[in-house]
Amino acid sequence: MQQHYMDFNATAPIRPEVIEAVTKALSTVGNPSSVHGFGRSARRLVEDARRSVAALVGGRSQDVVFTSGGTEANNIALKGSGRERLLVGAGEHDSVLQAAPDAIRVPLNADGTLDLERLEHLLAASAAPALLSVMLGNNETGVIQPVSEAAAIARRHGVMVHCDAVQAAGKMPLDIAALDVDMLTLSAHKIGGPQGVGALVLAPGVELKPLLRGGGQERRRRAGTENVAGCAGFGVAADLAAAQLTKAQSLASWRDEMERKISVVSPASKIYGQEALRLPNTTCVTMPDVAAETQVMALDLAGIAVSSGSACSSGKVQPSHVLKAMGASDEDAANAIRISLGWSSEAEDIEAFVKAWTALFHRHAGRDTSPAAPASSVA
């Protein structure tokens, strides 16, 4: 049975060039903090990767802090900023929301974008030193947040800004200076790099209190021996993501065609964030009266991998907090799945998904009482 991977927002398949780089790095002996030749060889791999990751976002290599992933980077940003008042978008990733459970949540508009008027009021309510955390591209809906506009509001109130750009990397141009943020989070495995490595990129002059202590690594901002092979793979993935940005943005045409066909089959289906600017690869759509878990399992049996909500929240039974923040009902939120494309996607994936989704819709709508088509017929 042909397999169709359509869950890139959970993790992207690792790129062949990255596998080669990681494999080569694993044969390199030496601690990058050691001063002898072996250590310098390992250090060279880490610093080459640091330059590549910095280039992806228009930053400086000395301002890149390698971490174990996006979750750790988000935690460092929120807990290490030294700001006592925290504000976060209501649709942020759980690694932000749970890192700051007492943070003030800035509401979303119905289209999934941050309510900037409400943000202005919340920032004006207190003169306490504050940090605002706003993601760039939503992991569930693909909605692109007005980060630079939010940052402009924050600056007027002397507020620091953190941006979780994990999902946006490789799908849209990134420039930390143009966004006007103090900190920006990245994750390797979202762009075809290895899992278990990420980065927090700082604006020049930004200082952090480290969460991990015990060594002078990462300019004393994150203790612990660097993941040399992971960093090397991250660097190669960053180079490829930057070089293939135009190709990634072209995925929007496939995404739009898929949504058009779904809407023809089921006019009552809701596509979240469709009215806003979105990442080119992401669709979040409901199937009326069919639970997301049912859809995910049925599509999996047809050889198609999609997800319900964030992969980091697997097993949760409550409706998506992102869709709820957009005004979705519990029922609609519980019936929504996410389809996400990426560097290895093909037109055949779209065709297979629409065919399987349509068959599932008709079965549950009672318009087709025939047995489910064999999985091998989905191509």
Side-chain angles (χ1 to χ4, degrees):
M1 175 176 62
Q2 186 174 358
Q3 300 293 311
H4 301 274
Y5 188 78
M6 306 178 75
D7 199 17
F8 278 76
N9 285 10
T11 195
I14 193 165
R15 295 172 182 265
E17 299 92 336
V18 172
I19 295 175
E20 181 180 355
V22 171
T23 301
K24 183 177 180 180
L26 286 171
S27 66
T28 300
V29 178
N31 187 312
S33 294
S34 298
V35 297
H36 49 60
F38 292 97
R40 293 196 302 274
S41 293
R43 171 57 56 188
R44 191 174 304 113
L45 291 175
V46 173
E47 296 309 318
D48 286 347
R50 201 184 304 277
R51 283 188 286 272
S52 293
V53 171
L56 180 63
V57 301
R60 306 187 308 175
S61 60
Q62 63 264 41
D63 295 322
V64 173
V65 182
F66 282 123
T67 68
S68 64
T71 293
E72 185 191 344
N74 284 342
N75 273 262
I76 293 175
L78 271 68
K79 297 178 181 179
S81 69
R83 299 298 176 105
E84 59 186 67
R85 188 169 186 250
L86 301 177
L87 298 92
V88 302
E92 298 300 303
H93 190 271
D94 279 342
S95 61
V96 166
L97 297 180
Q98 294 187 29
D102 297 325
I104 299 168
R105 297 198 183 189
V106 183
L108 302 184
N109 297 310
D111 65 357
T113 58
L114 198 70
D115 186 333
L116 296 179
E117 182 176 353
R118 184 61 179 154
L119 172 63
E120 179 81 63
H121 290 311
L122 289 170
L123 291 178
S126 172
L131 169 73
L132 169 67
S133 183
V134 182
M135 61 171 30
L136 185 52
N138 188 270
N139 52 300
E140 294 191 32
T141 64
V143 170
I144 297 173
Q145 295 295 343
V147 173
S148 59
E149 291 91 336
I153 295 172
R155 297 308 181 198
R156 292 200 293 269
H157 296 276
V159 173
M160 290 184 70
V161 183
H162 163 251
C163 177
D164 178 348
V166 164
Q167 290 295 345
K171 300 164 190 167
M172 61 182 289
L174 293 181
D175 187 320
I176 188 171
L179 290 171
D180 193 21
V181 299
D182 298 286
M183 298 173 280
L184 186 147
T185 294
L186 299 171
S187 180
H189 77 105
K190 304 296 187 179
I191 57 173
Q195 296 169 341
V197 60
L200 185 65
V201 185
L202 309 177
V206 172
E207 296 184 1
L208 290 173
K209 296 178 182 178
L211 293 186
L212 300 180
R213 299 176 184 273
Q217 295 88 352
E218 299 303 295
R219 297 175 181 259
R220 297 193 175 278
R221 295 173 296 200
R222 197 266 187 183
T225 302
E226 292 91 347
N227 177 358
V228 176
C231 291
F234 194 178
V236 171
D239 288 339
L240 291 170
Q244 299 176 9
L245 186 59
T246 299
K247 179 180 179 181
Q249 293 181 304
S250 71
L251 294 172
S253 61
W254 288 352
R255 187 268 315 274
D256 293 346
E257 178 65 9
M258 177 179 65
E259 291 177 353
R260 186 191 68 78
K261 291 180 177 180
I262 288 173
S263 296
V264 169
V265 173
S266 174
S269 288
K270 297 179 181 179
I271 298 174
Y272 286 97
Q274 197 172 28
E275 302 82 8
L277 291 175
R278 288 182 295 165
L279 299 175
N281 76 317
T282 306
T283 291
C284 182
V285 61
T286 64
M287 182 181 288
D289 303 318
V290 183
E293 291 79 5
T294 299
Q295 296 178 58
V296 171
M297 288 187 290
L299 291 168
D300 185 43
L301 290 173
I304 299 168
V306 299
S307 66
S308 57
S310 169
C312 299
S313 299
S314 297
K316 68 177 182 180
V317 295
Q318 69 270 27
S320 161
H321 71 276
V322 176
L323 302 187
K324 291 288 290 179
M326 295 171 66
S329 66
D330 285 350
E331 181 180 6
D332 283 340
N335 294 342
I337 63 171
R338 179 188 68 190
I339 306 99
S340 49
L341 310 175
W343 68 268
S344 61
S345 295
E346 299 179 350
E348 289 77 10
D349 299 326
I350 305 300
E351 297 171 7
F353 173 80
V354 171
K355 181 178 180 180
W357 192 93
T358 299
L360 179 62
F361 172 80
H362 285 311
R363 289 201 299 275
H364 281 269
R367 288 187 285 270
D368 181 2
T369 58
S370 62
S376 60
S377 69
V378 179

